[in-house]
Amino acid sequence: MSQTEREVRVRFAPSPTGPLHIGGVRTALYNYLFARQHGGKMILRIEDTDSQRFVPGAEDYINEALAWLGIGIDEGVREGGPYGPYKQSERRDIYREHVKMLLDAGKAYIAFDTPEELDAKRAEIPNFQYDASTRMAMRNSLTMPKEEVDKLIADGEKYVVRFRIDPGRDVAVDDLIRGRVTIKSDILDDKVLYKSADDLPTYHLANIVDDHLMKVSHVIRGEEWLPSAPLHVLLYEAFGWADTAPAFVHLPLLLKPDGKGKLSKRDGDRLGFPVFPLEWHDPKSGDISSGYRESGYLPHAVVNFLALLGWNPGDDTEIMTMQELIDKFSLDHCSKAGAKFAFEKGKWFNHTYLQMLPDEELAALFKPVMDAEGIDSSAFSDEYIAKAAGMLKSRINFVRDLAEQARFFFVAPESYDAKAVKKRWSAEMPAIMGELCEVLESQDDFSCAALEPVVLKWIEDKGYHLGNVMNAFRLTVVGECKGPHMFDITELLGKEETLRRIRAGIERIQPAE
Ligand code: GLU
């Protein structure tokens, strides 16, 4: 059956060994985009066969992160589906049966070598590898009589099952991004597929068996798994599944922002960006690692940013909805070369998406920030908060930046910027501001359109310096000489509050010497 006729079924197969890394999120995203584009299915499989590395909370974290980002799952532990269970630790019987199939077919064998015996061999033979050149000198079912093997097993001796790899073969991996990669089977060792000690398969066996049974059509995963692919090809063949083996897609690495080497958590700590989607509380060490969500990123800004790390739509379009990403995604435009993790670009995406958010939604996100900053959000109407946020959103990368930028809309100045006072508050300014109060007092319509011409005309009639007067005005209202258009500010603050602030300024600002 050719790949094109086949129903697209992809899987994201994380191991719950800690928080999902941002590279894993990108892998999940590309799987999701590919599935949706082809009207296929997205599977979430939990690969928890390595009991040593299992971390409590990691599976919930994965679910929560994917849900936050809008990466939908069709089949999985929580969603169910026709090929479950979707958690490998619940599939022991299936793996046991498949290990037996390989043993019966002579494609795998049982090995009793203890860790000490293996260490001794490594010391004896330089570059020791358990393979065709050494296996006949080891303690395994190829070198021992069947009765002895059966007896050891009956006695409860620990053993592993190893894959028997024939030397002298060219193994070809066809990767839809990289093309054909061929290696010699001689370089592969007889990989452990199953361990009797915990009655669990290793990653390789479980991964292959599940991809086959779950009818996975494309294995889309990180480049770090490319070295496992030849072994996987041989396993499909050993099971007789070569015809329906999934196509491989190994995604480019995420590189450090300066491009040298693989992105690590340390880069994030060093340069100040999260490498995890959500904040992670390490259950053992108690350490907290920052997450995109808690750092104030909008989920779709993260999705859009990640989508372009290793793929491009073929033109310079950057801002794309999830549906546009689904429509445009293509493996042909995925790169082989690693993608630099340009985290500043991530901020730009967040800034851009904040501009597109309706002011009411921005206000809803801002309210908890206000409360956390000691500004009682319930003292202001939703409309007021929305207008204040809307006026300042062009200046922010994160919702939390509004706390500083928009503070003056909620709290009258408690102090005045010293530099601005020095520059703008000359000896005659208190009197001029007093006159301004009279002008404003007589004005009932405080809209920007109505007030602005009145004030400007007064300045002109009096022959005052426009910049000096407007900046002094701003200083009393805002506390410093920056912010949005002055008459937009006064429109929102209203007459009473504006006058109160000017009068407080006249009283409290000490003219510069
Ligand atoms: N469990 C592997 C991981 O943690 C899956 C690799 C694969 O997708 O085959 O990434």
Side-chain angles (χ1 to χ4, degrees):
M1 194 171 13
S2 81
Q3 293 300 341
T4 42
E5 298 163 26
R6 204 167 166 184
E7 188 201 358
V8 166
R9 292 179 53 83
V10 295
R11 87 300 194 268
F12 178 52
S15 300
T17 55
L20 186 59
H21 189 270
I22 200 73
V25 175
R26 187 203 49 179
T27 299
L29 174 65
Y30 283 22
N31 272 285
Y32 171 78
L33 296 176
F34 189 75
R36 285 288 174 277
Q37 178 175 73
H38 294 277
K41 292 281 187 292
M42 166 77 168
I43 302 165
L44 176 63
R45 184 170 74 222
I46 299 297
E47 300 210 326
D48 59 346
T49 56
D50 190 347
S51 49
Q52 307 282 311
R53 294 178 59 220
F54 178 80
V55 173
E59 186 182 335
D60 286 342
Y61 180 98
I62 292 164
N63 284 313
E64 201 179 331
L66 297 181
W68 179 63
L69 292 160
I71 298 175
I73 304 298
D74 302 311
E75 295 174 24
V77 178
R78 298 207 292 198
E79 296 73 13
Y83 303 101
Y86 291 89
K87 191 184 285 196
Q88 289 188 328
S89 59
E90 293 169 9
R91 299 171 63 81
R92 286 170 199 259
D93 293 348
I94 297 171
Y95 304 129
R96 230 181 270 125
E97 184 191 314
H98 282 82
V99 168
K100 189 169 178 308
M101 280 163 63
L102 290 181
L103 285 171
D104 290 350
K107 310 266 184 195
Y109 59 93
I110 291 169
F112 294 101
D113 317 86
T114 62
E116 295 74 32
E117 286 166 345
L118 290 169
D119 282 345
K121 276 287 173 206
R122 285 189 197 104
E124 180 191 325
I125 305 171
N127 302 322
F128 170 79
Q129 177 166 284
Y130 209 123
D131 62 15
S133 70
T134 57
R135 65 168 82 106
M136 295 315 284
M138 307 298 289
R139 258 176 12 102
N140 57 45
S141 58
L142 302 173
T143 61
M144 293 156 77
K146 187 173 182 307
E147 301 71 53
E148 197 182 335
V149 170
D150 291 345
K151 181 167 186 317
L152 286 177
I153 295 175
D155 289 350
E157 184 101 352
K158 303 266 180 290
Y159 65 91
V160 298
V161 173
R162 286 183 181 271
F163 188 34
R164 181 178 179 159
I165 293 186
D166 297 328
R169 292 226 9 227
D170 286 333
V171 187
V173 174
D174 288 310
D175 182 291
L176 297 184
I177 296 180
R178 280 148 222 278
R180 174 166 285 203
V181 183
T182 306
I183 64 133
K184 293 254 176 264
S185 63
D186 307 53
I187 65 165
L188 301 173
D189 64 336
D190 288 354
K191 274 274 175 305
V192 173
L193 301 178
Y194 169 86
K195 293 178 185 160
S196 72
D198 52 10
D199 183 28
L200 276 171
T202 57
Y203 155 72
H204 301 290
L205 183 96
N207 190 268
I208 287 320
V209 167
D210 288 349
D211 283 347
H212 174 73
L213 295 179
M214 294 177 184
K215 298 197 164 28
V216 169
S217 62
H218 297 76
V219 166
I220 304 176
R221 61 185 170 190
E223 181 179 305
E224 62 274 26
W225 299 99
L226 186 58
S228 301
L231 174 70
H232 294 182
V233 167
L234 291 175
L235 273 169
Y236 286 119
E237 203 184 283
F239 276 115
W241 302 333
D243 285 354
T244 56
F248 284 115
V249 181
H250 289 95
L251 303 174
L253 278 180
L254 291 186
L255 304 176
K256 295 178 186 305
D258 57 12
K260 296 195 190 77
K262 202 176 150 200
L263 175 71
S264 73
K265 175 160 159 23
R266 249 169 299 129
D267 300 315
D269 294 343
R270 181 168 57 92
L271 298 165
F273 61 86
V275 296
F276 302 119
L278 316 178
E279 194 169 87
W280 168 253
H281 297 245
D282 191 288
K284 264 211 205 111
S285 66
D287 288 352
I288 297 178
S289 305
S290 67
Y292 278 84
R293 182 177 65 184
E294 291 73 11
S295 300
Y297 284 84
L298 298 171
H300 192 66
V302 178
V303 162
N304 199 154
F305 168 52
L306 288 179
L308 290 167
L309 291 177
W311 168 81
N312 67 75
D315 56 33
D316 51 15
T317 312
E318 290 190 299
I319 297 296
M320 286 167 271
T321 62
M322 192 66 109
Q323 191 55 50
E324 284 167 333
L325 289 172
I326 291 168
D327 294 342
K328 289 173 189 238
F329 186 75
S330 113
L331 296 175
D332 296 343
H333 282 115
C334 285
S335 67
K336 275 188 230 159
K340 278 187 212 170
F341 196 78
F343 67 99
E344 290 293 345
K345 190 79 190 189
K347 288 188 196 164
W348 176 84
F349 273 107
N350 209 54
H351 168 85
T352 306
Y353 276 103
L354 283 173
Q355 309 315 303
M356 287 153 48
L357 219 55
D359 292 347
E360 296 68 35
E361 279 179 43
L362 189 56
L365 295 174
F366 181 38
K367 279 205 231 173
V369 177
M370 290 172 70
D371 293 326
E373 292 287 322
I375 308 170
D376 179 10
S377 66
S378 68
F380 302 89
S381 72
D382 287 354
E383 197 194 342
Y384 184 91
I385 300 174
K387 281 189 177 155
M391 241 185 265
L392 286 145
K393 67 181 175 188
S394 67
R395 297 161 194 244
I396 60 166
N397 286 334
F398 301 101
V399 173
R400 64 165 183 273
D401 298 344
L402 281 175
E404 196 206 318
Q405 295 283 346
R407 188 179 170 82
F408 67 88
F409 273 119
F410 308 98
V411 182
E414 284 140 353
S415 62
Y416 301 89
D417 179 50
K419 260 199 200 143
V421 170
K422 195 160 180 229
K423 193 163 169 205
R424 305 293 182 183
W425 202 258
S426 53
E428 71 274 15
M429 220 28 107
I432 297 178
M433 287 299 113
E435 276 178 50
L436 173 61
C437 286
E438 282 168 35
V439 175
L440 299 184
E441 197 74 69
S442 66
Q443 187 66 22
D444 285 330
D445 185 350
F446 243 60
S447 68
C448 172
L451 193 59
E452 182 165 9
V454 173
V455 173
L456 296 186
K457 183 167 185 309
W458 159 72
I459 294 174
E460 201 186 334
D461 289 351
K462 292 284 185 161
Y464 293 147
H465 184 279
L466 178 70
N468 286 348
V469 173
M470 286 306 296
N471 274 294
F473 180 16
R474 182 181 286 277
L475 185 62
T476 62
V477 172
V478 179
E480 54 189 344
C481 287
K482 54 184 201 198
H485 184 57
M486 194 58 213
F487 295 99
D488 285 334
I489 297 177
T490 50
E491 175 175 332
L492 184 57
L493 283 177
K495 182 169 174 175
E496 215 182 304
E497 179 64 15
T498 302
L499 281 166
R500 194 170 20 240
R501 290 188 184 194
I502 303 172
R503 290 187 178 124
I506 295 172
E507 227 166 82
R508 294 166 57 199
I509 305 174
Q510 296 301 316
E513 296 300 306

